[in-house]
Amino acid sequence: MRLKQGQFSFLPDLTDDDIRTQAQYAIDNGWAVSVEYTDDPHPRNSYWEMWGHPMFDNPDAAAVVYEVNECRKEHGGKYIRVLAFDATAGWESIRMSFIVNRPAEEPGFRVVRQEGEGRSIRYTVESYAVREPEGARYA
């Protein structure tokens, strides 16, 4: 199963040149770019591990690609994404987010149905990845 999160998730994997182009777009718009990784990509898991520091004053997207490749060396078996944060007053949020690395095998998610009192039914999404302990999910 291929995880679909962020921009470009329905396209083939991005090349380093594609990543550089998108990072330069973010930099040209004045957005801070950062690199993050995780082994639990659940849609509600918005707190991925940050690789290095956000690049607030970086004028060149080559530095972003360099950091992505350094993160791949250490965490190549996990999900890695690039984020662009807009600190403009009144906006102050993520403007762009896309996955740049995936594990070789993506276990996917399952929908769990829970029946409550009366006719109340709830659905939750659980990741198959969390069946393994943290750090060993994609070993």
Side-chain angles (χ1 to χ4, degrees):
M1 185 206 128
R2 183 177 169 86
L3 180 69
K4 309 278 193 292
Q5 275 186 25
Q7 295 165 299
F8 318 119
S9 62
F10 289 89
L11 298 175
D13 291 338
L14 300 177
T15 65
D16 283 358
D17 193 47
D18 295 333
I19 296 167
R20 186 198 57 73
T21 301
Q22 296 305 320
Q24 193 61 54
Y25 174 80
I27 291 167
D28 292 345
N29 280 288
W31 305 335
V33 180
S34 62
V35 177
E36 295 180 343
Y37 64 93
T38 189
D39 62 353
D40 179 18
H42 189 283
R44 292 186 182 219
N45 176 13
S46 57
Y47 299 105
W48 291 29
E49 299 292 328
M50 185 172 286
W51 175 261
H53 298 286
M55 295 175 247
F56 288 103
D57 296 323
N58 174 31
D60 186 8
V64 176
V65 174
Y66 173 80
E67 291 300 328
V68 165
N69 285 325
E70 289 299 304
C71 187
R72 282 176 176 156
K73 288 178 187 174
E74 192 165 329
H75 302 286
K78 298 179 181 177
Y79 290 92
I80 301 173
R81 71 179 174 189
V82 173
L83 297 174
F85 181 82
D86 184 357
T88 304
W91 188 268
E92 299 165 336
S93 185
I94 302 297
R95 285 278 189 146
M96 184 165 63
S97 169
F98 53 94
I99 293 176
V100 296
N101 194 79
R102 300 166 180 279
E105 182 181 326
E106 298 182 76
F109 298 91
R110 70 185 182 124
V111 176
V112 178
R113 176 182 166 147
Q114 300 169 337
E115 296 188 24
E117 290 184 32
R119 295 184 177 196
S120 137
I121 298 175
R122 287 189 199 173
Y123 294 93
T124 57
V125 177
E126 291 181 356
S127 171
Y128 288 119
V130 296
R131 291 180 175 181
E132 299 295 328
E134 185 175 355
R137 294 177 183 159
Y138 297 105

